[in-house]
Amino acid sequence: MDRKRALPIIALATLLAVDIVLVLWALWPAASVSATGATPPAPSPTVSESASASASASPSPSASPTASPTPISRVLVAVDRRTAWLATTGTCEEPGQLQVTTDGGATWTASDTPAAITRIRTSGRAEGWVVAGVGKDCTMRVFTTGGAGDEWSDPASASAAWARVAEDARRAIRPGGGPVTPCGRAEVLDLASIGRVVASVLCADGTVRTTEDGGETWPEAFRVEGALAFALRADGRGAIASVTEECDGTTVTALVDGQPEESVCVEGAEATPGDVSISVSDEVAWLVAGDAAFTAPEVTGRWAQTKGALSS
């Protein structure tokens, strides 16, 4: 082959060799780049990549987690500064206990109850009656006691009473009529009887609904986020207990003319849904949370824990 014909072939071969080297260099593993010990910086994520990473990460626990609303499992009635009744509902076939204090919460006397209590009404320190579900069919009945739970009467009709239904948290019984569902499909957390045709309920969504026509209609009165329990008297005074992020305990809000007003934090009162109950009498407010009881001369006053512990 002469020199003139060989030169183009050599040039073409050289060009092909250079192309092969460039391709191999481009495909060479990245590990060989960092073999010197220097790690190349990772590219910054885009906004969409950051959002995707945040959404897929496990959420941090909240400082004040919001638990599911639960109907109260303990019914509290404040009689006076020294006396209060507290019933643990239990079930219709295995009722809870009634605990009574007559020394400001220093000691509590416990006795068995004949049924699953959802409402208490007292007429003195030792006299009162309860509305409760009894038996396999959980029929709502009224029981009376003259010795703060030492003895109970035979069951009587509850057709003239307001009360939550023991076996169905959505329903309530009412005087002279069939059961109603004041909160629609939501559960009734607590109930306050104000008169024969007037009653209020606290619903699972935090709304308080009041009927003035014997339970035919239940218009919304107000709403409190995180509400756990409430109490309302015929004069419009009362209180509502709730869980809030700002309070390391239970937030208590005074009700004036049936509407929420000033709030205070009761520190140390465990705000566990279903385990909190509140009651207001002429001269004192009582709050039960966890295994402790608290009292205050008024709802927005200074709350103090009582000395005695409650039975679990």
Side-chain angles (χ1 to χ4, degrees), residues 118-119 131-132 140 161-166 171-175 191 193:
T118 63
R119 185 185 166 204
V131 186
M140 300 301 291
W162 288 100
R164 293 179 298 124
V165 173
R171 296 195 301 162
I173 59 171
R174 55 177 173 161
L191 179 147
S193 171

Side-chain angles (χ1 to χ4, degrees), residues 9-288:
I9 296 175
I10 294 172
L12 180 59
T14 302
L15 181 60
L16 290 174
V18 171
D19 287 342
I20 292 172
V21 169
L22 290 175
V23 171
L24 290 175
W25 180 81
L27 297 177
W28 200 258
S32 64
V33 177
S34 61
T36 60
T39 303
S44 299
T46 64
V47 174
S48 60
E49 288 172 340
S50 298
S52 176
S54 299
S56 62
S58 298
S60 300
S62 172
S64 179
T66 302
S68 300
T70 305
I72 61 170
S73 61
R74 298 192 293 183
V75 183
L76 175 67
V77 170
V79 179
D80 53 38
R81 294 181 185 274
R82 299 181 60 81
T83 309
W85 290 29
L86 175 68
T88 303
T89 301
T91 67
C92 295
E93 295 186 349
E94 296 183 9
Q97 287 187 323
L98 174 68
Q99 299 179 70
V100 177
T101 181
T102 57
D103 54 13
T107 60
W108 294 82
T109 301
S111 58
D112 293 331
T113 62
I117 295 175
T118 63
R119 185 185 166 204
I120 301 175
R121 180 72 177 267
T122 60
S123 55
R125 288 191 169 186
E127 300 81 28
W129 52 268
V130 301
V131 186
V134 61
K136 293 183 178 180
D137 57 355
C138 212
T139 304
M140 300 301 291
R141 292 286 185 262
V142 171
F143 298 81
T144 60
T145 179
D150 284 348
E151 296 181 354
W152 295 94
S153 70
D154 291 333
S157 172
S159 60
W162 288 100
R164 293 179 298 124
V165 173
E167 91 285 8
D168 187 346
R170 296 178 305 165
R171 296 195 301 162
I173 59 171
R174 55 177 173 161
V180 291
T181 54
C183 303
R185 295 182 179 181
E187 293 180 324
V188 179
L189 304 188
D190 206 348
L191 179 147
S193 171
I194 303 172
R196 180 173 176 81
V197 297
V198 183
S200 290
V201 294
L202 171 62
C203 301
D205 61 0
T207 60
V208 169
R209 298 181 178 275
T210 299
T211 181
E212 296 181 347
D213 55 14
E216 294 300 318
T217 60
W218 295 86
E220 179 178 330
F222 60 87
R223 180 174 181 172
V224 173
E225 293 292 336
L228 303 172
F230 88 126
L232 185 61
R233 295 163 49 92
D235 59 7
R237 293 192 305 117
I240 188 162
S242 62
V243 55
T244 62
E245 292 184 355
E246 297 79 13
C247 176
D248 186 16
T250 299
T251 296
V252 174
T253 303
L255 300 181
V256 179
D257 294 330
Q259 293 294 312
E261 296 285 344
E262 183 181 353
S263 298
V264 296
C265 175
V266 184
E267 296 184 357
E270 299 178 8
T272 304
D275 208 27
V276 174
S277 192
I278 195 165
S279 182
V280 178
S281 73
D282 289 332
E283 57 186 44
V284 69
W286 283 76
L287 171 71
V288 166

